[in-house]
Amino acid sequence: MDSIKVFAPATVANVACGYDVLGFALQEIGDELIIRKTSGPGLTITEIHGSDELSKDADQNVVTVATQDMLNALGKPGLGFEFELTKKVKPGSGLGSSASSSAAAVFGVNRLLDEPFTKKELVQFAMEGEKLASGVPHADNVAPSLLGGFTFIRSYNPLDVLQLDYPQELCATVVHPQIEIKTSDAKRMLKQQIELRDAIVQWGNLGGLIHGLSKGDFDLIGRSLNDVIAEPIRGILIPGFQEAKVRSKQNGALGCSISGSGPSIFALSRGMKKAQIVAETFRSLFEEIGLESYVHVSPINPKGAEVLK
Ligand code: HSE
């Protein structure tokens, strides 16, 4: 096989209480990447569709940076590939845009090389893309984009990625108010020290959320979708955020928080019907505010990165 077309989904990272350690994958939205082997050495980006902002420079694009890291680990740094990227996740949306591109790249190249690495092993290479994009090699977007479902980073050093059980009825509603927040800026906003009393609340909720997901206990999931570390600081940047939380819960959502570093907001609901009602709630709220918004409703994507025909 000399060429391949792949898809890697958009993701919701943090999921309220799991800053930098928890994430899940969405259906339908994500980046597409066509990858071709070349006879000469080196990595080249030939086209980027759907975004004017991204560099085609091999040192400056997450696709080539993540791929190069993987080729180096394989001991074949000089292999040649060219990439045609179609961005369907907007950079700066909080839906794991850079992660979708990085995940698609390492997944596709790994397939073209007859899979020297497992999908889980690819997470560490895709993280190099995140390092380029945000300054921090976090895995809470790239892991679900590669593996699908809910993923949990038990440890970064050494990297220990877990795939969590979750109830199939769980559905996500995401709204992207059309403003941009750079993850690097949103990361810099956060305090480097937190109060012990906040840490106790946060790890209580994180444990509760993971237990609720594994047991299919929707009330517990709802009670646990609470972030006292990042959300109080970042929420200020997102117009309508507090109102979105209140109204989505009044309209049946289990809980609502910031998707990744924002400005997208996500809510989790039991079943598509409720998730659609929450979508309407978000739409009308942002119409009232006078801010254009994009709304997406989706079950949890169980597959992650995949080959397209
Ligand atoms: N965990 C990262 C953050 C996700 O919140 O900064 C960025 O999408």
Side-chain angles (χ1 to χ4, degrees):
M1 192 167 41
D2 286 335
S3 73
I4 194 168
K5 185 176 181 185
V6 296
F7 167 82
T11 47
V12 170
N14 299 341
V15 200
C17 46
Y19 180 74
D20 270 3
V21 295
L22 188 61
F24 66 83
L26 295 165
Q27 300 264 53
E28 285 167 40
I29 47 173
D31 286 351
E32 288 176 13
L33 189 64
I34 297 171
I35 309 171
R36 299 180 193 91
K37 280 184 185 170
T38 56
S39 46
L43 306 179
T44 313
I45 298 182
T46 55
E47 298 273 358
I48 301 177
H49 309 287
S51 173
D52 305 327
E53 304 154 39
L54 300 173
S55 172
K56 286 190 196 163
D57 184 336
D59 295 332
Q60 295 303 320
N61 192 294
V62 301
V63 162
T64 33
V65 166
T67 303
Q68 192 60 57
D69 195 57
M70 179 176 124
L71 296 179
N72 294 349
L74 196 59
K76 296 180 176 173
L79 287 182
F81 295 93
E82 58 181 38
F83 302 88
E84 185 179 333
L85 175 63
T86 302
K87 293 291 302 170
K88 293 192 174 168
V89 193
K90 263 196 170 174
S93 62
L95 294 172
S97 176
S98 53
S100 298
S101 298
S102 306
V106 295
F107 172 74
V109 172
N110 191 51
R111 273 291 173 99
L112 286 177
L113 296 174
D114 294 329
E115 302 192 276
F117 298 106
T118 64
K119 259 188 170 185
K120 238 184 213 180
E121 286 169 339
L122 295 176
V123 171
Q124 61 191 308
F125 309 126
M127 282 167 64
E128 284 304 305
E130 296 294 70
K131 189 172 164 192
L132 175 74
S134 72
V136 179
H138 58 98
D140 52 337
N141 291 111
V142 290
S145 188
L146 277 162
L147 299 163
F150 273 81
T151 59
F152 178 62
I153 314 303
R154 204 274 313 159
S155 156
Y156 273 96
N157 189 18
L159 187 63
D160 189 2
V161 181
L162 311 181
Q163 291 179 271
L164 302 180
D165 289 334
Y166 59 92
Q168 299 306 305
E169 270 181 282
L170 201 61
C171 289
T173 310
V174 291
V175 57
H176 176 202
Q178 300 291 292
I179 55 172
E180 189 185 330
I181 295 177
K182 283 200 165 71
T183 299
S184 49
D185 295 339
K187 278 199 170 300
R188 269 196 297 271
M189 288 177 76
L190 300 181
K191 295 185 220 149
Q192 291 303 306
Q193 261 88 41
I194 58 169
E195 299 284 345
L196 181 59
R197 61 170 181 264
D198 289 336
I200 292 168
V201 174
Q202 197 82 356
W203 60 53
N205 280 319
L206 183 56
L209 179 54
I210 291 172
H211 189 66
L213 289 170
S214 77
K215 294 285 180 198
D217 182 337
F218 291 95
D219 286 341
L220 178 56
I221 292 171
R223 292 203 299 284
S224 308
L225 282 169
N226 178 26
D227 172 16
V228 295
I229 308 277
E231 188 189 290
I233 297 169
R234 289 173 166 179
I236 298 161
L237 300 179
I238 308 170
F241 173 62
Q242 291 305 335
E243 196 56 27
K245 277 186 78 156
V246 171
R247 290 198 202 174
S248 61
K249 284 196 247 179
Q250 279 169 349
N251 285 291
L254 301 166
C256 171
S257 186
I258 301 170
S259 174
S261 55
S264 289
I265 299 166
F266 80 95
L268 288 174
S269 302
R270 182 173 190 170
M272 278 301 262
K273 228 170 153 179
K274 283 191 176 151
Q276 295 286 7
I277 294 170
V278 174
E280 274 317 306
T281 308
F282 284 156
R283 264 188 212 108
S284 58
L285 170 64
F286 283 99
E287 242 173 65
E288 268 174 45
I289 294 175
L291 187 56
E292 210 184 309
S293 71
Y294 161 81
V295 181
H296 181 70
V297 180
S298 154
I300 309 304
N301 174 338
K303 283 199 246 169
E306 60 183 310
V307 177
L308 295 178
K309 298 284 168 228

